[in-house]
Amino acid sequence: MDEYDYIVVGAGSAGCVLANRLTENSRHRVLLLEAGGSDRKLWIQMPIGYGMSFYNPRVNWMYRTEPEPALNNRQDYWPRGKVLGGSSSINAMVHIRGQAADFEDWRAAGNPGWGWQDVLPYFRKSETCSGDPAFHGKDGPFHVTDVSADCHKLCASYLQAAAEIGLPRTGDFNGAQQEGVGLYQIATKGGLRMSAARAHLWPARARANLRVETEALANRVIVEGKRAAGIEYMKDGAVKRARARREVILSAGAINSPQLLLLSGIGPGASLQPLGIEVLHDSPAVGRNLQDHLCIDHLYRARVPSLNQDLGTWWGRLRVGLRYLTGLRGPLAMSVNQGGGFIRTRPGLARPDQQLYFSPLSYTRAVPGKRALMRPDAFPGFLLSAQPCRPTSRGHLRLKSADPRIAPMIFPNPLATEQDITDLLEGSKFLRRLAAAPSLQAVIAEEMKPGPQIQTDDELLADVRARASSVFHPVSTCRMGQDARENVVDPTLKLHGMQGLRVIDASVFPTVTSGNTNAPTIMVAEKGADLVLRDAG
Ligand SMILES: Cc1cc2nc3c(=O)[nH]c(=O)nc-3n(C[C@H](O)[C@H](O)[C@H](O)COP(=O)(O)OP(=O)(O)OC[C@H]3O[C@@H](n4cnc5c(N)ncnc54)[C@H](O)[C@@H]3O)c2cc1C
């Protein structure tokens, strides 16, 4: 059996950071296992390729949730990256840290060392970004770009409309003032996607003390007594084993890290026995506390051309393609989400309760499948979307089978609380107020969805249940916290009751942050790497 100091499972947003930081010092030998393959693919590196990876089983786990009663029993589609870089190789690149108060909440929940002032240095360490140096790093591996100069003309109508209804403007959602509307910073450098793989793995891959195995599916943690001794994985049709002298670190993401624990006999005993899995460590919270962001889109037919004309016609594609080829700029170098916002939908709220997205294009989601594609609509259109920041509903996941190749069953359980229902309804109503502002009215020909026939709160709520969907931010399935019955890892990210085993990825978030989850996952991994190295002396 090969032996390493650390085995990291999953080369996603967190795993790539760990592989890099743990091998900076040549003392440690690290094995990084990734179920997917290479990220050297055009549609991953070119930002607009988002639409191509969205349904591509070669780079995407393409999960479906179980039928969700609150969403008319729909099975939501949950893409997750299955490739070097993980979900950071297929995500929409919007770069948001969350609110300072999110991390104060983490600390207050019994996690010393995770308050805002504790985590800010790790956010700064992780990135290179323009803006106030009190908030932004200037020489970190993960590059974040201000693409405002290239935003579509319709973004000006969005910003102007927001001003007309009295929303403040912010120039930096990750700076001193998150609240307000503005244009998103995105994770790119020189017109190419900035994934965790590009930031951390590409520079580290040549190191003699790092071994990266792709197309390697971890089956289970090898447990000896209460110690994680290594990993069993499948590669090229053969079962292999590797030993970890110091630690096994699970960074397989919020779906697969708990799945792997459950497959290893670490989880709620009662749910494992029926599958014939021997319970090696009873940890009731594995797979519980699942949180995610749910979003509602309003679709408008525009009076003026939108990005649909650039991306959906051959002459438009020629124009933007040439712009990209000659300068790595323009719509192909951007996220589909260009305008953003963090706003309070009603008076009396202590902090923004809603994230806004303005996309100067519109597309209709396909039915997920091998040949599905995300295509811009044939007419000029754009989307306004609202996503409540801090849902209170909790879901869970559990194994369907003891076979590691079979996806777990995901029960997101959205809209399970009155507050979550109110928040999403308020978000949807707020989009109508924003769209009614003169500058948006000037470019809107027609509200296509929900549509003018939907007027009352009951009708809007019915529309939410019929159409709302995930924005792909699952977290908390191996939650960090002090109580071993309620949480999976302690504040140093070690598994409660086990030795030599940590989980470091989005699954440890005590609660979902008030925004997109890539930047905070990278922060968790930067801090996690420090915790691991500190223990190694
Ligand atoms: C379509 C989409 C759009 C998104 N848009 C944004 C956005 O615009 N901004 C933002 O901030 N966030 C966004 N997110 C969320 C963000 O990308 C994730 O929160 C973040 O990448 C999670 O990082 P992670 O390390 O926890 O997991 P991941 O990055 O998903 O990494 C897990 C890795 O582990 C591997 N793995 C899993 N199981 C095994 C196994 N058994 N053996 C070996 N390897 C395994 C996976 O293949 C994957 O590479 C989006 C996500 C998606 C899917």
Side-chain angles (χ1 to χ4, degrees):
M1 225 194 296
D2 285 346
E3 217 172 88
Y4 299 85
D5 293 299
Y6 300 101
I7 300 176
V8 179
V9 180
S13 300
C16 290
V17 176
L18 286 153
N20 177 23
R21 298 299 186 196
L22 298 183
T23 54
E24 275 172 344
N25 176 334
S26 58
R27 230 172 79 201
H28 304 128
R29 277 194 80 211
V30 174
L31 171 65
L32 176 66
L33 293 175
E34 169 53 47
S38 164
D39 60 335
R40 304 277 177 151
K41 295 180 167 66
L42 175 68
W43 295 123
I44 286 183
Q45 302 312 325
M46 185 194 279
I48 204 71
Y50 173 76
M52 304 295 282
S53 318
F54 197 78
Y55 298 115
N56 182 351
R58 286 171 55 217
V59 297
N60 194 325
W61 293 88
M62 297 183 66
Y63 290 125
R64 300 298 297 272
T65 68
E66 296 303 305
E68 298 177 35
L71 302 182
N72 299 347
N73 281 323
R74 284 182 292 130
Q75 289 187 269
D76 206 2
Y77 173 56
W78 279 22
R80 308 304 303 158
K82 186 183 187 182
V83 58
L84 290 178
S87 298
S88 75
S89 285
I90 67 159
N91 71 13
M93 295 157 289
V94 172
H95 192 76
I96 293 292
R97 293 175 174 177
Q99 297 170 3
D102 295 335
F103 304 97
E104 290 304 304
D105 290 346
W106 286 18
R107 188 165 58 94
N111 296 296
W114 293 93
W116 174 239
Q117 288 306 328
D118 304 306
V119 301
L120 179 58
Y122 291 102
F123 277 119
R124 291 183 69 251
K125 178 183 182 184
S126 70
E127 71 173 20
T128 294
C129 183
S130 59
D132 181 354
F135 290 91
H136 289 289
K138 301 295 164 191
D139 56 3
F142 196 84
H143 286 245
V144 180
T145 306
D146 174 356
V147 284
S148 49
D150 281 0
C151 279
H152 192 275
K153 273 195 291 198
L154 277 169
C155 290
S157 309
Y158 162 73
L159 294 175
Q160 188 56 34
E164 285 159 2
I165 63 164
L167 296 178
R169 178 77 191 266
T170 181
D172 182 358
F173 295 119
N174 299 306
Q177 181 200 329
Q178 191 208 39
E179 183 162 10
V181 296
L183 300 169
Y184 281 127
Q185 296 164 339
I186 61 166
T188 57
K189 182 186 175 193
L192 298 173
R193 173 186 289 276
M194 177 53 59
S195 68
R198 183 175 175 208
H200 288 272
L201 205 55
W202 294 9
R205 246 189 125 160
R207 290 180 193 152
N209 57 337
L210 174 63
R211 183 180 169 89
V212 182
E213 289 263 38
T214 53
E215 320 266 340
L217 180 78
N219 290 345
R220 66 179 181 99
V221 181
I222 301 168
V223 178
E224 292 172 357
K226 288 286 177 188
R227 183 176 174 78
I231 285 284
E232 180 189 287
Y233 64 100
M234 236 166 341
K235 170 134 177 115
D236 301 328
V239 175
K240 303 192 172 188
R241 291 185 183 79
R243 264 194 106 73
R245 280 187 288 263
R246 288 180 181 275
E247 295 192 25
V248 170
I249 301 170
L250 302 187
S251 300
I255 308 302
N256 300 101
S257 283
Q259 181 194 22
L260 207 45
L261 288 173
L262 296 169
L263 290 167
S264 313
I266 301 168
S271 78
L272 298 179
Q273 278 148 352
L275 294 170
I277 297 173
E278 188 189 350
V279 183
L280 301 180
H281 181 65
D282 189 41
S283 178
V286 175
R288 275 177 40 207
N289 298 308
L290 171 62
Q291 280 196 295
D292 184 31
H293 285 134
L294 198 64
C295 181
I296 184 73
D297 295 334
H298 285 203
L299 165 65
Y300 301 92
R301 183 193 293 274
R303 293 180 201 279
V304 292
S306 73
L307 256 188
N308 292 0
Q309 280 57 61
D310 291 326
L311 301 177
T313 59
W314 69 263
W315 61 91
R317 281 202 290 264
L318 182 68
R319 198 174 54 235
V320 296
L322 280 173
R323 179 137 191 247
Y324 189 71
L325 284 177
T326 51
L328 291 173
R329 299 218 13 206
L332 306 192
M334 316 263 300
S335 169
V336 290
N337 302 307
Q338 298 190 359
F342 288 88
I343 53 112
R344 298 179 220 216
T345 50
R346 44 206 193 274
L349 296 173
R351 47 201 263 227
D353 64 312
Q354 210 86 211
Q355 179 170 0
L356 301 179
Y357 299 91
F358 175 77
S359 309
L361 84 164
S362 64
Y363 45 87
T364 309
R365 293 253 194 112
V367 178
K370 269 192 180 158
R371 289 178 202 287
L373 274 182
M374 193 188 255
R375 287 185 196 284
D377 291 323
F379 53 85
F382 63 86
L383 294 167
L384 269 179
S385 316
Q387 163 203 305
C389 287
R390 290 175 296 284
T392 53
S393 303
R394 295 274 191 282
H396 71 280
L397 60 83
R398 63 167 189 262
L399 293 183
K400 188 185 275 178
S401 157
D403 182 340
R405 291 164 301 187
I406 309 264
M409 299 165 84
I410 305 170
F411 301 86
N413 195 29
L415 305 182
T417 65
E418 278 306 315
Q419 184 184 326
D420 289 0
I421 293 172
T422 306
D423 284 351
L424 199 49
L425 185 58
E426 290 296 332
S428 191
K429 286 159 73 172
F430 185 85
L431 295 180
R432 284 244 167 109
R433 289 211 292 283
L434 181 54
S439 290
L440 276 174
Q441 279 301 300
V443 292
I444 291 175
E446 174 192 8
E447 180 193 279
M448 298 180 75
K449 283 187 181 143
Q453 74 287 4
I454 308 287
Q455 285 302 331
T456 65
D457 281 7
D458 284 349
E459 288 164 350
L460 275 171
L461 183 56
D463 173 65
V464 158
R465 293 192 189 285
R467 295 194 306 113
S469 61
S470 169
V471 258
F472 325 124
H473 298 160
V475 297
S476 303
T477 46
C478 299
R479 192 172 69 174
M480 159 171 46
Q482 307 270 357
D483 180 340
R485 306 292 299 168
E486 297 296 325
N487 303 287
V488 177
V489 296
D490 69 17
T492 64
L493 308 179
K494 289 180 185 154
L495 213 103
H496 281 293
M498 296 275 305
Q499 277 105 48
L501 185 55
R502 288 192 219 232
V503 183
I504 305 183
D505 59 24
S507 70
V508 305
F509 285 21
T511 47
V512 71
T513 45
S514 303
N516 315 74
T517 42
N518 196 46
T521 304
I522 288 174
M523 176 281 288
V524 163
E526 289 279 13
K527 186 170 162 70
D530 254 15
L531 293 167
V532 172
L533 289 171
R534 210 172 297 164
D535 275 6

